PDB file of all heavy atoms in Angstrom:
ATOM      1  N   GLU A 428      10.036  33.647  -4.413  1.00  0.00           N
ATOM      2  CA  GLU A 428       8.643  33.196  -4.414  1.00  0.00           C
ATOM      3  C   GLU A 428       8.487  31.766  -3.923  1.00  0.00           C
ATOM      4  O   GLU A 428       7.421  31.367  -3.446  1.00  0.00           O
ATOM      5  CB  GLU A 428       8.058  33.319  -5.824  1.00  0.00           C
ATOM      6  CG  GLU A 428       8.686  32.343  -6.806  1.00  0.00           C
ATOM      7  CD  GLU A 428       8.194  32.517  -8.240  1.00  0.00           C
ATOM      8  OE1 GLU A 428       8.397  33.589  -8.816  1.00  0.00           O
ATOM      9  OE2 GLU A 428       7.614  31.534  -8.740  1.00  0.00           O
ATOM     10  N   ILE A 429       9.542  30.984  -4.045  1.00  0.00           N
ATOM     11  CA  ILE A 429       9.477  29.574  -3.634  1.00  0.00           C
ATOM     12  C   ILE A 429       9.198  29.461  -2.145  1.00  0.00           C
ATOM     13  O   ILE A 429       8.467  28.561  -1.694  1.00  0.00           O
ATOM     14  CB  ILE A 429      10.782  28.845  -4.025  1.00  0.00           C
ATOM     15  CG1 ILE A 429      10.794  28.611  -5.538  1.00  0.00           C
ATOM     16  CG2 ILE A 429      10.932  27.522  -3.276  1.00  0.00           C
ATOM     17  CD1 ILE A 429      12.036  27.997  -6.066  1.00  0.00           C
ATOM     18  N   ASP A 430       9.748  30.357  -1.345  1.00  0.00           N
ATOM     19  CA  ASP A 430       9.541  30.309   0.098  1.00  0.00           C
ATOM     20  C   ASP A 430       8.101  30.648   0.475  1.00  0.00           C
ATOM     21  O   ASP A 430       7.693  30.431   1.612  1.00  0.00           O
ATOM     22  CB  ASP A 430      10.500  31.272   0.801  1.00  0.00           C
ATOM     23  CG  ASP A 430      11.947  30.786   0.711  1.00  0.00           C
ATOM     24  OD1 ASP A 430      12.148  29.556   0.704  1.00  0.00           O
ATOM     25  OD2 ASP A 430      12.854  31.633   0.635  1.00  0.00           O
ATOM     26  N   GLU A 431       7.340  31.200  -0.451  1.00  0.00           N
ATOM     27  CA  GLU A 431       5.964  31.600  -0.165  1.00  0.00           C
ATOM     28  C   GLU A 431       4.932  30.571  -0.638  1.00  0.00           C
ATOM     29  O   GLU A 431       3.743  30.733  -0.385  1.00  0.00           O
ATOM     30  CB  GLU A 431       5.678  32.961  -0.833  1.00  0.00           C
ATOM     31  CG  GLU A 431       6.587  34.071  -0.316  1.00  0.00           C
ATOM     32  CD  GLU A 431       6.399  35.356  -1.086  1.00  0.00           C
ATOM     33  OE1 GLU A 431       5.501  35.386  -1.967  1.00  0.00           O
ATOM     34  OE2 GLU A 431       7.126  36.334  -0.820  1.00  0.00           O
ATOM     35  N   VAL A 432       5.394  29.531  -1.357  1.00  0.00           N
ATOM     36  CA  VAL A 432       4.478  28.489  -1.825  1.00  0.00           C
ATOM     37  C   VAL A 432       3.974  27.694  -0.619  1.00  0.00           C
ATOM     38  O   VAL A 432       4.759  27.214   0.197  1.00  0.00           O
ATOM     39  CB  VAL A 432       5.170  27.546  -2.839  1.00  0.00           C
ATOM     40  CG1 VAL A 432       4.223  26.425  -3.245  1.00  0.00           C
ATOM     41  CG2 VAL A 432       5.639  28.327  -4.050  1.00  0.00           C
ATOM     42  N   VAL A 433       2.666  27.541  -0.501  1.00  0.00           N
ATOM     43  CA  VAL A 433       2.082  26.876   0.669  1.00  0.00           C
ATOM     44  C   VAL A 433       2.179  25.360   0.558  1.00  0.00           C
ATOM     45  O   VAL A 433       2.492  24.667   1.534  1.00  0.00           O
ATOM     46  CB  VAL A 433       0.609  27.308   0.850  1.00  0.00           C
ATOM     47  CG1 VAL A 433      -0.044  26.521   1.981  1.00  0.00           C
ATOM     48  CG2 VAL A 433       0.547  28.796   1.126  1.00  0.00           C
ATOM     49  N   ASP A 434       1.890  24.812  -0.613  1.00  0.00           N
ATOM     50  CA  ASP A 434       1.914  23.356  -0.779  1.00  0.00           C
ATOM     51  C   ASP A 434       3.317  22.793  -0.593  1.00  0.00           C
ATOM     52  O   ASP A 434       4.317  23.512  -0.661  1.00  0.00           O
ATOM     53  CB  ASP A 434       1.407  22.978  -2.174  1.00  0.00           C
ATOM     54  CG  ASP A 434      -0.086  23.181  -2.326  1.00  0.00           C
ATOM     55  OD1 ASP A 434      -0.782  23.151  -1.299  1.00  0.00           O
ATOM     56  OD2 ASP A 434      -0.548  23.382  -3.470  1.00  0.00           O
ATOM     57  N   SER A 435       3.364  21.471  -0.354  1.00  0.00           N
ATOM     58  CA  SER A 435       4.660  20.796  -0.328  1.00  0.00           C
ATOM     59  C   SER A 435       5.309  20.956  -1.698  1.00  0.00           C
ATOM     60  O   SER A 435       4.626  20.961  -2.730  1.00  0.00           O
ATOM     61  CB  SER A 435       4.470  19.316  -0.004  1.00  0.00           C
ATOM     62  OG  SER A 435       3.876  19.159   1.262  1.00  0.00           O
ATOM     63  N   ILE A 436       6.627  21.054  -1.705  1.00  0.00           N
ATOM     64  CA  ILE A 436       7.307  21.434  -2.935  1.00  0.00           C
ATOM     65  C   ILE A 436       8.591  20.640  -3.112  1.00  0.00           C
ATOM     66  O   ILE A 436       9.279  20.321  -2.144  1.00  0.00           O
ATOM     67  CB  ILE A 436       7.598  22.956  -2.916  1.00  0.00           C
ATOM     68  CG1 ILE A 436       8.097  23.456  -4.269  1.00  0.00           C
ATOM     69  CG2 ILE A 436       8.557  23.315  -1.800  1.00  0.00           C
ATOM     70  CD1 ILE A 436       8.193  24.965  -4.350  1.00  0.00           C
ATOM     71  N   VAL A 437       8.869  20.272  -4.357  1.00  0.00           N
ATOM     72  CA  VAL A 437      10.149  19.664  -4.721  1.00  0.00           C
ATOM     73  C   VAL A 437      10.861  20.679  -5.612  1.00  0.00           C
ATOM     74  O   VAL A 437      10.425  20.956  -6.726  1.00  0.00           O
ATOM     75  CB  VAL A 437       9.959  18.329  -5.475  1.00  0.00           C
ATOM     76  CG1 VAL A 437      11.319  17.762  -5.883  1.00  0.00           C
ATOM     77  CG2 VAL A 437       9.195  17.334  -4.622  1.00  0.00           C
ATOM     78  N   VAL A 438      11.932  21.255  -5.080  1.00  0.00           N
ATOM     79  CA  VAL A 438      12.712  22.237  -5.828  1.00  0.00           C
ATOM     80  C   VAL A 438      13.891  21.511  -6.462  1.00  0.00           C
ATOM     81  O   VAL A 438      14.513  20.641  -5.846  1.00  0.00           O
ATOM     82  CB  VAL A 438      13.215  23.358  -4.904  1.00  0.00           C
ATOM     83  CG1 VAL A 438      13.842  24.480  -5.723  1.00  0.00           C
ATOM     84  CG2 VAL A 438      12.084  23.892  -4.055  1.00  0.00           C
ATOM     85  N   ALA A 439      14.197  21.839  -7.723  1.00  0.00           N
ATOM     86  CA  ALA A 439      15.232  21.114  -8.456  1.00  0.00           C
ATOM     87  C   ALA A 439      16.344  22.040  -8.934  1.00  0.00           C
ATOM     88  O   ALA A 439      16.117  23.219  -9.241  1.00  0.00           O
ATOM     89  CB  ALA A 439      14.616  20.389  -9.648  1.00  0.00           C
ATOM     90  N   ALA A 440      17.542  21.480  -8.986  1.00  0.00           N
ATOM     91  CA  ALA A 440      18.689  22.173  -9.576  1.00  0.00           C
ATOM     92  C   ALA A 440      19.455  21.158 -10.409  1.00  0.00           C
ATOM     93  O   ALA A 440      19.632  19.996  -9.995  1.00  0.00           O
ATOM     94  CB  ALA A 440      19.575  22.761  -8.494  1.00  0.00           C
ATOM     95  N   ILE A 441      19.882  21.566 -11.601  1.00  0.00           N
ATOM     96  CA  ILE A 441      20.657  20.693 -12.486  1.00  0.00           C
ATOM     97  C   ILE A 441      21.976  21.380 -12.788  1.00  0.00           C
ATOM     98  O   ILE A 441      22.007  22.545 -13.220  1.00  0.00           O
ATOM     99  CB  ILE A 441      19.881  20.416 -13.793  1.00  0.00           C
ATOM    100  CG1 ILE A 441      18.544  19.709 -13.476  1.00  0.00           C
ATOM    101  CG2 ILE A 441      20.715  19.550 -14.743  1.00  0.00           C
ATOM    102  CD1 ILE A 441      17.649  19.515 -14.682  1.00  0.00           C
ATOM    103  N   ASP A 442      23.049  20.648 -12.488  1.00  0.00           N
ATOM    104  CA  ASP A 442      24.408  21.170 -12.699  1.00  0.00           C
ATOM    105  C   ASP A 442      24.593  22.520 -12.022  1.00  0.00           C
ATOM    106  O   ASP A 442      25.161  23.480 -12.589  1.00  0.00           O
ATOM    107  CB  ASP A 442      24.701  21.286 -14.201  1.00  0.00           C
ATOM    108  CG  ASP A 442      24.745  19.921 -14.881  1.00  0.00           C
ATOM    109  OD1 ASP A 442      25.149  18.939 -14.205  1.00  0.00           O
ATOM    110  OD2 ASP A 442      24.343  19.826 -16.041  1.00  0.00           O
ATOM    111  N   GLY A 443      24.081  22.623 -10.782  1.00  0.00           N
ATOM    112  CA  GLY A 443      24.302  23.830  -9.989  1.00  0.00           C
ATOM    113  C   GLY A 443      23.401  24.990 -10.316  1.00  0.00           C
ATOM    114  O   GLY A 443      23.586  26.083  -9.740  1.00  0.00           O
ATOM    115  N   GLN A 444      22.416  24.817 -11.178  1.00  0.00           N
ATOM    116  CA  GLN A 444      21.521  25.904 -11.559  1.00  0.00           C
ATOM    117  C   GLN A 444      20.076  25.538 -11.207  1.00  0.00           C
ATOM    118  O   GLN A 444      19.633  24.417 -11.457  1.00  0.00           O
ATOM    119  CB  GLN A 444      21.616  26.174 -13.072  1.00  0.00           C
ATOM    120  CG  GLN A 444      22.990  26.647 -13.536  1.00  0.00           C
ATOM    121  CD  GLN A 444      23.360  28.009 -12.966  1.00  0.00           C
ATOM    122  OE1 GLN A 444      22.532  28.912 -12.930  1.00  0.00           O
ATOM    123  NE2 GLN A 444      24.614  28.146 -12.522  1.00  0.00           N
ATOM    124  N   TYR A 445      19.345  26.503 -10.628  1.00  0.00           N
ATOM    125  CA  TYR A 445      17.936  26.306 -10.325  1.00  0.00           C
ATOM    126  C   TYR A 445      17.172  26.047 -11.623  1.00  0.00           C
ATOM    127  O   TYR A 445      17.325  26.777 -12.606  1.00  0.00           O
ATOM    128  CB  TYR A 445      17.383  27.544  -9.628  1.00  0.00           C
ATOM    129  CG  TYR A 445      15.866  27.595  -9.573  1.00  0.00           C
ATOM    130  CD1 TYR A 445      15.155  26.775  -8.701  1.00  0.00           C
ATOM    131  CD2 TYR A 445      15.150  28.443 -10.427  1.00  0.00           C
ATOM    132  CE1 TYR A 445      13.772  26.814  -8.666  1.00  0.00           C
ATOM    133  CE2 TYR A 445      13.761  28.483 -10.397  1.00  0.00           C
ATOM    134  CZ  TYR A 445      13.084  27.660  -9.513  1.00  0.00           C
ATOM    135  OH  TYR A 445      11.704  27.689  -9.486  1.00  0.00           O
ATOM    136  N   THR A 446      16.321  24.967 -11.616  1.00  0.00           N
ATOM    137  CA  THR A 446      15.617  24.612 -12.856  1.00  0.00           C
ATOM    138  C   THR A 446      14.103  24.524 -12.686  1.00  0.00           C
ATOM    139  O   THR A 446      13.403  24.131 -13.629  1.00  0.00           O
ATOM    140  CB  THR A 446      16.133  23.247 -13.390  1.00  0.00           C
ATOM    141  OG1 THR A 446      16.057  22.282 -12.343  1.00  0.00           O
ATOM    142  CG2 THR A 446      17.561  23.366 -13.886  1.00  0.00           C
ATOM    143  N   GLY A 447      13.583  24.849 -11.510  1.00  0.00           N
ATOM    144  CA  GLY A 447      12.146  24.846 -11.348  1.00  0.00           C
ATOM    145  C   GLY A 447      11.687  24.074 -10.124  1.00  0.00           C
ATOM    146  O   GLY A 447      12.505  23.594  -9.328  1.00  0.00           O
ATOM    147  N   TYR A 448      10.357  23.965  -9.992  1.00  0.00           N
ATOM    148  CA  TYR A 448       9.827  23.233  -8.840  1.00  0.00           C
ATOM    149  C   TYR A 448       8.526  22.524  -9.210  1.00  0.00           C
ATOM    150  O   TYR A 448       7.869  22.847 -10.213  1.00  0.00           O
ATOM    151  CB  TYR A 448       9.617  24.162  -7.639  1.00  0.00           C
ATOM    152  CG  TYR A 448       8.546  25.213  -7.807  1.00  0.00           C
ATOM    153  CD1 TYR A 448       7.210  24.937  -7.519  1.00  0.00           C
ATOM    154  CD2 TYR A 448       8.872  26.509  -8.226  1.00  0.00           C
ATOM    155  CE1 TYR A 448       6.227  25.901  -7.655  1.00  0.00           C
ATOM    156  CE2 TYR A 448       7.893  27.484  -8.358  1.00  0.00           C
ATOM    157  CZ  TYR A 448       6.572  27.172  -8.068  1.00  0.00           C
ATOM    158  OH  TYR A 448       5.598  28.129  -8.204  1.00  0.00           O
ATOM    159  N   ILE A 449       8.190  21.541  -8.360  1.00  0.00           N
ATOM    160  CA  ILE A 449       6.965  20.749  -8.516  1.00  0.00           C
ATOM    161  C   ILE A 449       6.210  20.836  -7.196  1.00  0.00           C
ATOM    162  O   ILE A 449       6.789  20.591  -6.132  1.00  0.00           O
ATOM    163  CB  ILE A 449       7.294  19.273  -8.842  1.00  0.00           C
ATOM    164  CG1 ILE A 449       8.152  19.184 -10.106  1.00  0.00           C
ATOM    165  CG2 ILE A 449       6.036  18.447  -8.977  1.00  0.00           C
ATOM    166  CD1 ILE A 449       8.785  17.814 -10.309  1.00  0.00           C
ATOM    167  N   THR A 450       4.932  21.192  -7.243  1.00  0.00           N
ATOM    168  CA  THR A 450       4.138  21.220  -6.003  1.00  0.00           C
ATOM    169  C   THR A 450       3.366  19.914  -5.853  1.00  0.00           C
ATOM    170  O   THR A 450       2.862  19.350  -6.821  1.00  0.00           O
ATOM    171  CB  THR A 450       3.147  22.399  -5.984  1.00  0.00           C
ATOM    172  OG1 THR A 450       2.234  22.272  -7.074  1.00  0.00           O
ATOM    173  CG2 THR A 450       3.879  23.724  -6.075  1.00  0.00           C
ATOM    174  N   VAL A 451       3.298  19.470  -4.620  1.00  0.00           N
ATOM    175  CA  VAL A 451       2.633  18.205  -4.295  1.00  0.00           C
ATOM    176  C   VAL A 451       1.725  18.444  -3.087  1.00  0.00           C
ATOM    177  O   VAL A 451       2.115  19.124  -2.137  1.00  0.00           O
ATOM    178  CB  VAL A 451       3.668  17.106  -3.960  1.00  0.00           C
ATOM    179  CG1 VAL A 451       2.968  15.802  -3.608  1.00  0.00           C
ATOM    180  CG2 VAL A 451       4.622  16.904  -5.121  1.00  0.00           C
ATOM    181  N   ALA A 452       0.514  17.928  -3.115  1.00  0.00           N
ATOM    182  CA  ALA A 452      -0.446  18.150  -2.021  1.00  0.00           C
ATOM    183  C   ALA A 452      -0.845  16.843  -1.360  1.00  0.00           C
ATOM    184  O   ALA A 452      -0.920  15.801  -2.005  1.00  0.00           O
ATOM    185  CB  ALA A 452      -1.677  18.880  -2.539  1.00  0.00           C
ATOM    186  N   ASP A 453      -1.089  16.944  -0.076  1.00  0.00           N
ATOM    187  CA  ASP A 453      -1.581  15.825   0.733  1.00  0.00           C
ATOM    188  C   ASP A 453      -2.847  16.315   1.433  1.00  0.00           C
ATOM    189  O   ASP A 453      -3.110  17.509   1.502  1.00  0.00           O
ATOM    190  CB  ASP A 453      -0.507  15.428   1.750  1.00  0.00           C
ATOM    191  CG  ASP A 453      -0.863  14.182   2.539  1.00  0.00           C
ATOM    192  OD1 ASP A 453      -1.784  13.464   2.119  1.00  0.00           O
ATOM    193  OD2 ASP A 453      -0.198  13.932   3.567  1.00  0.00           O
ATOM    194  N   SER A 454      -3.655  15.424   1.956  1.00  0.00           N
ATOM    195  CA  SER A 454      -4.865  15.850   2.659  1.00  0.00           C
ATOM    196  C   SER A 454      -4.975  15.100   3.982  1.00  0.00           C
ATOM    197  O   SER A 454      -4.495  13.971   4.112  1.00  0.00           O
ATOM    198  CB  SER A 454      -6.113  15.582   1.804  1.00  0.00           C
ATOM    199  OG  SER A 454      -6.191  14.213   1.455  1.00  0.00           O
ATOM    200  N   PRO A 455      -5.616  15.725   4.999  1.00  0.00           N
ATOM    201  CA  PRO A 455      -5.752  15.079   6.309  1.00  0.00           C
ATOM    202  C   PRO A 455      -6.568  13.789   6.217  1.00  0.00           C
ATOM    203  O   PRO A 455      -7.434  13.637   5.360  1.00  0.00           O
ATOM    204  CB  PRO A 455      -6.484  16.130   7.156  1.00  0.00           C
ATOM    205  CG  PRO A 455      -6.224  17.423   6.473  1.00  0.00           C
ATOM    206  CD  PRO A 455      -6.150  17.083   5.006  1.00  0.00           C
ATOM    207  N   LYS A 456      -6.288  12.883   7.139  1.00  0.00           N
ATOM    208  CA  LYS A 456      -7.089  11.669   7.242  1.00  0.00           C
ATOM    209  C   LYS A 456      -8.496  12.019   7.714  1.00  0.00           C
ATOM    210  O   LYS A 456      -8.709  13.044   8.370  1.00  0.00           O
ATOM    211  CB  LYS A 456      -6.434  10.689   8.226  1.00  0.00           C
ATOM    212  CG  LYS A 456      -5.118  10.123   7.726  1.00  0.00           C
ATOM    213  CD  LYS A 456      -4.506   9.166   8.731  1.00  0.00           C
ATOM    214  CE  LYS A 456      -3.221   8.558   8.186  1.00  0.00           C
ATOM    215  NZ  LYS A 456      -2.546   7.674   9.161  1.00  0.00           N
ATOM    216  N   GLU A 457      -9.435  11.150   7.385  1.00  0.00           N
ATOM    217  CA  GLU A 457     -10.843  11.417   7.689  1.00  0.00           C
ATOM    218  C   GLU A 457     -11.095  11.654   9.175  1.00  0.00           C
ATOM    219  O   GLU A 457     -11.935  12.468   9.546  1.00  0.00           O
ATOM    220  CB  GLU A 457     -11.713  10.248   7.205  1.00  0.00           C
ATOM    221  CG  GLU A 457     -11.817  10.133   5.688  1.00  0.00           C
ATOM    222  CD  GLU A 457     -12.722   8.993   5.269  1.00  0.00           C
ATOM    223  OE1 GLU A 457     -13.333   8.367   6.166  1.00  0.00           O
ATOM    224  OE2 GLU A 457     -12.829   8.728   4.063  1.00  0.00           O
ATOM    225  N   ASP A 458     -10.369  10.944  10.012  1.00  0.00           N
ATOM    226  CA  ASP A 458     -10.633  11.057  11.454  1.00  0.00           C
ATOM    227  C   ASP A 458      -9.609  11.925  12.167  1.00  0.00           C
ATOM    228  O   ASP A 458      -9.575  11.955  13.404  1.00  0.00           O
ATOM    229  CB  ASP A 458     -10.670   9.667  12.084  1.00  0.00           C
ATOM    230  CG  ASP A 458      -9.309   8.998  12.094  1.00  0.00           C
ATOM    231  OD1 ASP A 458      -8.529   9.247  11.151  1.00  0.00           O
ATOM    232  OD2 ASP A 458      -9.025   8.227  13.028  1.00  0.00           O
ATOM    233  N   ALA A 459      -8.763  12.656  11.427  1.00  0.00           N
ATOM    234  CA  ALA A 459      -7.708  13.441  12.066  1.00  0.00           C
ATOM    235  C   ALA A 459      -8.276  14.532  12.959  1.00  0.00           C
ATOM    236  O   ALA A 459      -7.834  14.716  14.102  1.00  0.00           O
ATOM    237  CB  ALA A 459      -6.784  14.034  11.005  1.00  0.00           C
ATOM    238  N   ALA A 460      -9.260  15.296  12.458  1.00  0.00           N
ATOM    239  CA  ALA A 460      -9.856  16.366  13.263  1.00  0.00           C
ATOM    240  C   ALA A 460     -10.547  15.792  14.498  1.00  0.00           C
ATOM    241  O   ALA A 460     -10.443  16.349  15.606  1.00  0.00           O
ATOM    242  CB  ALA A 460     -10.848  17.171  12.419  1.00  0.00           C
ATOM    243  N   ARG A 461     -11.231  14.652  14.322  1.00  0.00           N
ATOM    244  CA  ARG A 461     -11.897  14.007  15.469  1.00  0.00           C
ATOM    245  C   ARG A 461     -10.866  13.546  16.487  1.00  0.00           C
ATOM    246  O   ARG A 461     -11.092  13.637  17.705  1.00  0.00           O
ATOM    247  CB  ARG A 461     -12.738  12.829  14.986  1.00  0.00           C
ATOM    248  CG  ARG A 461     -13.408  12.046  16.101  1.00  0.00           C
ATOM    249  CD  ARG A 461     -14.550  11.196  15.566  1.00  0.00           C
ATOM    250  NE  ARG A 461     -14.106  10.252  14.563  1.00  0.00           N
ATOM    251  CZ  ARG A 461     -13.685   9.015  14.853  1.00  0.00           C
ATOM    252  NH1 ARG A 461     -13.645   8.601  16.113  1.00  0.00           N
ATOM    253  NH2 ARG A 461     -13.323   8.201  13.889  1.00  0.00           N
ATOM    254  N   ALA A 462      -9.723  13.042  15.996  1.00  0.00           N
ATOM    255  CA  ALA A 462      -8.662  12.594  16.905  1.00  0.00           C
ATOM    256  C   ALA A 462      -8.179  13.748  17.774  1.00  0.00           C
ATOM    257  O   ALA A 462      -7.984  13.591  18.988  1.00  0.00           O
ATOM    258  CB  ALA A 462      -7.497  12.018  16.100  1.00  0.00           C
ATOM    259  N   VAL A 463      -7.997  14.915  17.161  1.00  0.00           N
ATOM    260  CA  VAL A 463      -7.546  16.097  17.910  1.00  0.00           C
ATOM    261  C   VAL A 463      -8.593  16.487  18.957  1.00  0.00           C
ATOM    262  O   VAL A 463      -8.263  16.753  20.125  1.00  0.00           O
ATOM    263  CB  VAL A 463      -7.273  17.268  16.943  1.00  0.00           C
ATOM    264  CG1 VAL A 463      -7.006  18.560  17.724  1.00  0.00           C
ATOM    265  CG2 VAL A 463      -6.092  16.944  16.035  1.00  0.00           C
ATOM    266  N   GLN A 464      -9.851  16.500  18.567  1.00  0.00           N
ATOM    267  CA  GLN A 464     -10.926  16.867  19.500  1.00  0.00           C
ATOM    268  C   GLN A 464     -10.999  15.892  20.672  1.00  0.00           C
ATOM    269  O   GLN A 464     -11.141  16.294  21.834  1.00  0.00           O
ATOM    270  CB  GLN A 464     -12.268  16.897  18.761  1.00  0.00           C
ATOM    271  CG  GLN A 464     -12.384  18.012  17.727  1.00  0.00           C
ATOM    272  CD  GLN A 464     -13.614  17.857  16.844  1.00  0.00           C
ATOM    273  OE1 GLN A 464     -14.398  16.919  17.007  1.00  0.00           O
ATOM    274  NE2 GLN A 464     -13.793  18.770  15.901  1.00  0.00           N
ATOM    275  N   GLU A 465     -10.898  14.596  20.378  1.00  0.00           N
ATOM    276  CA  GLU A 465     -11.006  13.582  21.432  1.00  0.00           C
ATOM    277  C   GLU A 465      -9.831  13.668  22.398  1.00  0.00           C
ATOM    278  O   GLU A 465     -10.009  13.486  23.607  1.00  0.00           O
ATOM    279  CB  GLU A 465     -11.083  12.187  20.806  1.00  0.00           C
ATOM    280  CG  GLU A 465     -12.416  11.903  20.123  1.00  0.00           C
ATOM    281  CD  GLU A 465     -12.498  10.478  19.594  1.00  0.00           C
ATOM    282  OE1 GLU A 465     -11.505   9.733  19.722  1.00  0.00           O
ATOM    283  OE2 GLU A 465     -13.552  10.104  19.054  1.00  0.00           O
ATOM    284  N   LEU A 466      -8.637  13.928  21.879  1.00  0.00           N
ATOM    285  CA  LEU A 466      -7.467  14.027  22.752  1.00  0.00           C
ATOM    286  C   LEU A 466      -7.583  15.241  23.672  1.00  0.00           C
ATOM    287  O   LEU A 466      -7.247  15.171  24.856  1.00  0.00           O
ATOM    288  CB  LEU A 466      -6.190  14.101  21.921  1.00  0.00           C
ATOM    289  CG  LEU A 466      -5.770  12.784  21.253  1.00  0.00           C
ATOM    290  CD1 LEU A 466      -4.632  13.007  20.266  1.00  0.00           C
ATOM    291  CD2 LEU A 466      -5.350  11.754  22.304  1.00  0.00           C
ATOM    292  N   LYS A 467      -8.068  16.358  23.136  1.00  0.00           N
ATOM    293  CA  LYS A 467      -8.258  17.544  23.975  1.00  0.00           C
ATOM    294  C   LYS A 467      -9.313  17.273  25.044  1.00  0.00           C
ATOM    295  O   LYS A 467      -9.143  17.629  26.217  1.00  0.00           O
ATOM    296  CB  LYS A 467      -8.672  18.734  23.108  1.00  0.00           C
ATOM    297  CG  LYS A 467      -7.544  19.322  22.264  1.00  0.00           C
ATOM    298  CD  LYS A 467      -8.033  20.529  21.484  1.00  0.00           C
ATOM    299  CE  LYS A 467      -6.896  21.191  20.710  1.00  0.00           C
ATOM    300  NZ  LYS A 467      -7.364  22.390  19.955  1.00  0.00           N
TER     301      LYS A 467
END
Side-chain angles (χ1 to χ4, degrees):
E428 68 184 61
I429 286 176
D430 291 327
E431 299 174 4
V432 177
V433 175
D434 288 335
S435 299
I436 190 171
V437 178
V438 189
I441 299 174
D442 294 328
Q444 297 295 317
Y445 166 74
T446 52
Y448 66 86
I449 303 166
T450 61
V451 179
D453 186 15
S454 57
K456 292 180 177 177
E457 290 182 5
D458 68 327
R461 177 162 59 90
V463 172
Q464 293 170 1
E465 288 184 358
L466 287 170
K467 286 182 176 181

